[in-house]
């Protein structure tokens, strides 16, 4: 091979190597972008009472299930939902149920409890003590205070069921919710006020379930609209 031919062949080989190297670099970038754009799924544990199970409405209309459904089109999607709640439960009942069921850790934990403590005329100091324990448990199950969402107690005094004692119910629930909100502020836990929504709707059309006491699916949907930005921030 002549010297001139050798130089020409070497140049072609060098050009081929450079092109191959550039080609590999450009195909790696879209793969990285694809990974960042993948859907992430999360687990959600909802702790509470009749308001959490959606007493009086279909399961799909309860706010935890509506919240799960609302994330369906999101890149951060609630895939698994566990509900530990029952109609009539107080903070004490919920504590016992959690101990019995020993739920696993979840990516998001919600807590809505206290209306039955008030309705049954229980000790407010006992509620405070048990609520604090439940809040600690929720944080442990979420493994972070930043992964917990506490929901206020709605005002059932605006319903036909509570209309005769509406002022007393409102005042007492204000005390409960003030304590709940302050505890959340103290330890930097997300707090969502749905009490205002319940009072604004009252007993108007579509506000209540057929039992004229618990919220309707429509009202729960308004709750979810208020919760969704909070949940999206938690799941970031």
């Amino acid at each position: 091979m002549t010297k001139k031919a050798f130089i020409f062949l070497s140049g072609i080989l060098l050009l081929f190597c450079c092109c191959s190297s550039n080609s590999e670099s450009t195909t790696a970038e879209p793969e990285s972008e694809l990974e960042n754009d993948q859907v992430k799924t999360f687990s959600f544990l909802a702790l509470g009472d009749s308001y959490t199970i959606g007493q009086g409405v279909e399961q799909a209309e309860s706010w935890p299930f509506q919240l799960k459904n609302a994330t369906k089109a999101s890149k951060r999607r609630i895939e698994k939902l566990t509900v530990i709640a029952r109609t009539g439960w107080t903070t004490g009942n919920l504590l016992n149920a959690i101990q019995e069921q020993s739920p696993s850790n979840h990516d998001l934990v919600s807590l809505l409890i206290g209306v039955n403590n008030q309705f049954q005329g229980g000790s407010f100091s006992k509620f405070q003590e048990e609520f604090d324990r439940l809040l600690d448990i929720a944080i442990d199950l979420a493994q972070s205070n930043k992964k917990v969402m506490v929901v206020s107690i709605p005002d059932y005094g605006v319903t036909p069921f509570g209309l005769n004692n509406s002022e007393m119910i409102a005042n007492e629930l204000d005390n409960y919710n003030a304590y709940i909100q302050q505890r959340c502020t103290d330890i930097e836990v997300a707090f969502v006020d749905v009490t205002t929504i319940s009072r604004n709707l009252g007993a108007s059309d579509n506000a209540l379930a057929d039992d004229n006491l618990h919220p309707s699916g429509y009202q729960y949907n308004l709750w979810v609209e208020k919760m969704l930005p909070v949940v999206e921030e938690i799941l970031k």
Side-chain angles (χ1 to χ4, degrees), residues 188-225:
E188 298 182 325
V189 165
F191 174 81
V192 179
D193 170 30
V194 300
T195 314
T196 302
I197 296 174
S198 69
R199 286 172 174 166
N200 288 342
L201 289 178
S204 61
D205 290 346
N206 298 323
L208 302 175
D210 290 340
D211 62 9
N212 280 324
L213 170 60
H214 292 91
S216 64
Y218 167 73
Q219 181 172 168
Y220 283 136
N221 179 254
L222 297 181
W223 291 19
V224 168
E225 286 180 2

Side-chain angles (χ1 to χ4, degrees), residues 91-134:
T91 47
N93 296 136
L94 182 55
L95 280 169
N96 291 336
I98 293 171
Q99 186 175 10
E100 289 171 5
Q101 297 187 36
S102 298
S104 59
N105 293 337
H106 285 66
D107 301 307
L108 167 67
V109 179
S110 70
L111 179 61
L112 166 50
I113 195 73
V115 69
N116 293 298
N117 294 71
Q118 181 275 332
F119 176 70
Q120 295 175 21
S123 162
F124 185 64
S125 60
K126 185 177 182 182
F127 162 76
Q128 292 173 307
E129 176 195 339
E130 292 178 341
F131 179 83
D132 287 355
R133 286 169 58 194
L134 285 167

Side-chain angles (χ1 to χ4, degrees), residues 37-55:
D37 201 40
Q38 285 179 343
V39 171
K40 294 182 180 179
T41 59
F42 299 88
S43 57
F44 171 31
L45 172 63
L47 305 173
D49 49 38
S50 59
Y51 292 125
T52 298
I53 64 169
Q55 179 69 35

Side-chain angles (χ1 to χ4, degrees), residues 8 74 80 135:
F8 176 74
S74 172
K80 176 187 175 185
L135 196 51

Side-chain angles (χ1 to χ4, degrees), residues 8-203:
F8 176 74
L9 182 60
S10 299
I12 291 175
L13 288 171
L14 180 62
L15 179 62
F16 176 78
C17 291
C18 290
C19 290
S20 298
S21 175
N22 287 340
S23 177
E24 288 172 3
S25 175
T26 53
T27 54
E29 287 178 6
E31 286 177 5
S32 177
E33 289 174 5
L34 182 63
E35 286 174 7
N36 291 336
D37 201 40
Q38 285 179 343
V39 171
K40 294 182 180 179
T41 59
F42 299 88
S43 57
F44 171 31
L45 172 63
L47 305 173
D49 49 38
S50 59
Y51 292 125
T52 298
I53 64 169
Q55 179 69 35
V57 300
E58 295 294 325
Q59 184 183 70
E61 293 185 289
S62 67
W63 72 260
F65 278 85
Q66 287 200 50
L67 181 60
K68 177 178 182 288
N69 190 56
T71 67
K72 202 175 272 188
S74 172
K75 294 295 183 184
R76 292 176 173 82
R77 188 175 302 168
I78 296 173
E79 187 75 17
K80 176 187 175 185
L81 169 59
T82 304
V83 178
I84 299 180
R86 186 171 296 177
T87 299
W89 272 3
T90 62
T91 47
N93 296 136
L94 182 55
L95 280 169
N96 291 336
I98 293 171
Q99 186 175 10
E100 289 171 5
Q101 297 187 36
S102 298
S104 59
N105 293 337
H106 285 66
D107 301 307
L108 167 67
V109 179
S110 70
L111 179 61
L112 166 50
I113 195 73
V115 69
N116 293 298
N117 294 71
Q118 181 275 332
F119 176 70
Q120 295 175 21
S123 162
F124 185 64
S125 60
K126 185 177 182 182
F127 162 76
Q128 292 173 307
E129 176 195 339
E130 292 178 341
F131 179 83
D132 287 355
R133 286 169 58 194
L134 285 167
L135 196 51
D136 287 341
I137 290 170
I139 292 170
D140 286 343
L141 289 170
Q143 298 182 296
S144 170
N145 61 321
K146 302 298 184 184
K147 304 291 186 182
V148 174
M149 176 180 69
V150 174
V151 184
S152 71
I153 306 168
D155 187 354
Y156 69 92
V158 299
T159 71
F161 181 85
L163 209 54
N164 291 335
N165 297 305
S166 58
E167 187 174 348
M168 181 199 74
I169 293 168
N171 289 336
E172 291 185 358
L173 289 180
D174 281 346
N175 289 335
Y176 276 74
N177 282 322
Y179 179 78
I180 291 169
Q181 185 171 14
Q182 187 59 54
R183 289 295 298 127
C184 290
T185 300
D186 290 343
I187 58 177
E188 298 182 325
V189 165
F191 174 81
V192 179
D193 170 30
V194 300
T195 314
T196 302
I197 296 174
S198 69
R199 286 172 174 166
N200 288 342
L201 289 178

